[in-house]
Amino acid sequence: MSADLSTREGIRSGAEEAAAVFGEPDVLVNSAGINLRPPLGELGEDVWDATMTVNLEAPFLLGQRFGPGMAERGFGRIIHVTSQQAHRAFVQSGAYGVSKGALESLARSQAEAWSAYGVTANTLVPGFVMTPLNERLSSDPEKVAGLAARTMIGRNGLAADFAGAAVFLASTASAYVTGHSLFVDGGFSVH
């Protein structure tokens, strides 16, 4: 099923439709995002609002909808996909970087609220990955090579690089990991 995460109404109705089709979830992964990056001096309220709604408000509202039920059942996993730009500004981070930094703070607040009831909340922090979200950057071979050179592994990430980390955070193996930001970035963050 699909949902429009650009409005509160769309977020709420998408959550209800998902629960009606699939049942109440044990795992919530917030990976949807938009990446609008005009220079900060040109960033208008429309871009700010759109970015915050999809990248931050949707994960908040979905957490509010599903987190208490997970806590009531005694098990749940909330996983947010954030960004290197939650920790450092580069390539015009603007509202995008702010939204991802706030999303990591949201995970810590959710961890504080629900971890005692068996619900963990964590973030996956990818390095640069060639996805449609990064189309603007990935179309510039020089920038792609420069980002790869900043890693310790010498390449940019692939979507498959995150599967193991996501499965770990979604499983019982991560029961003692909460409020944490797990960097899956080839060493980009420590370079």
Side-chain angles (χ1 to χ4, degrees), residues 62-145:
L62 292 170
Q64 292 296 97
R65 168 58 181 86
F66 296 122
M70 292 176 182
E72 201 173 285
R73 293 187 303 277
F75 179 86
R77 300 290 183 260
I78 300 173
I79 304 166
H80 304 290
V81 179
T82 65
S83 170
Q84 294 291 322
Q85 292 177 356
H87 302 271
R88 63 196 49 77
F90 65 98
V91 295
Q92 299 177 11
S93 295
Y96 180 81
V98 172
S99 71
K100 295 302 185 171
L103 190 53
E104 291 194 7
S105 291
L106 175 63
R108 290 188 292 273
S109 293
Q110 291 170 327
E112 179 183 38
W114 297 316
S115 293
Y117 306 100
V119 180
T120 63
N122 294 288
T123 64
L124 275 176
V125 187
F128 180 68
V129 184
M130 305 289 264
T131 66
L133 191 66
N134 288 322
E135 186 176 345
R136 184 176 57 93
L137 277 176
S138 63
S139 63
D140 184 334
E142 193 174 306
K143 286 183 180 174
V144 170

Side-chain angles (χ1 to χ4, degrees), residues 9-187:
E9 181 181 310
I11 296 162
R12 288 185 176 116
S13 66
E16 294 309 318
E17 184 179 339
V21 172
F22 302 108
E24 293 295 315
D26 292 325
V27 179
L28 170 63
V29 179
N30 288 302
S31 63
I34 59 172
N35 189 0
L36 308 170
R37 293 197 214 181
L40 189 61
E42 300 170 19
L43 196 151
E45 291 177 7
D46 58 335
V47 170
W48 178 268
D49 291 344
T51 301
M52 293 302 158
T53 300
V54 174
N55 295 3
L56 181 60
E57 190 165 9
F60 166 72
L61 291 174
L62 292 170
Q64 292 296 97
R65 168 58 181 86
F66 296 122
M70 292 176 182
E72 201 173 285
R73 293 187 303 277
F75 179 86
R77 300 290 183 260
I78 300 173
I79 304 166
H80 304 290
V81 179
T82 65
S83 170
Q84 294 291 322
Q85 292 177 356
H87 302 271
R88 63 196 49 77
F90 65 98
V91 295
Q92 299 177 11
S93 295
Y96 180 81
V98 172
S99 71
K100 295 302 185 171
L103 190 53
E104 291 194 7
S105 291
L106 175 63
R108 290 188 292 273
S109 293
Q110 291 170 327
E112 179 183 38
W114 297 316
S115 293
Y117 306 100
V119 180
T120 63
N122 294 288
T123 64
L124 275 176
V125 187
F128 180 68
V129 184
M130 305 289 264
T131 66
L133 191 66
N134 288 322
E135 186 176 345
R136 184 176 57 93
L137 277 176
S138 63
S139 63
D140 184 334
E142 193 174 306
K143 286 183 180 174
V144 170
L147 288 166
R150 288 181 61 179
T151 71
M152 293 181 171
I153 292 183
R155 69 169 174 83
N156 291 308
L158 306 170
D161 292 327
F162 305 94
V167 168
F168 166 70
L169 290 176
S171 75
T172 57
S174 67
Y176 203 60
V177 179
T178 194
H180 179 68
S181 294
L182 177 58
F183 288 78
V184 182
D185 64 1

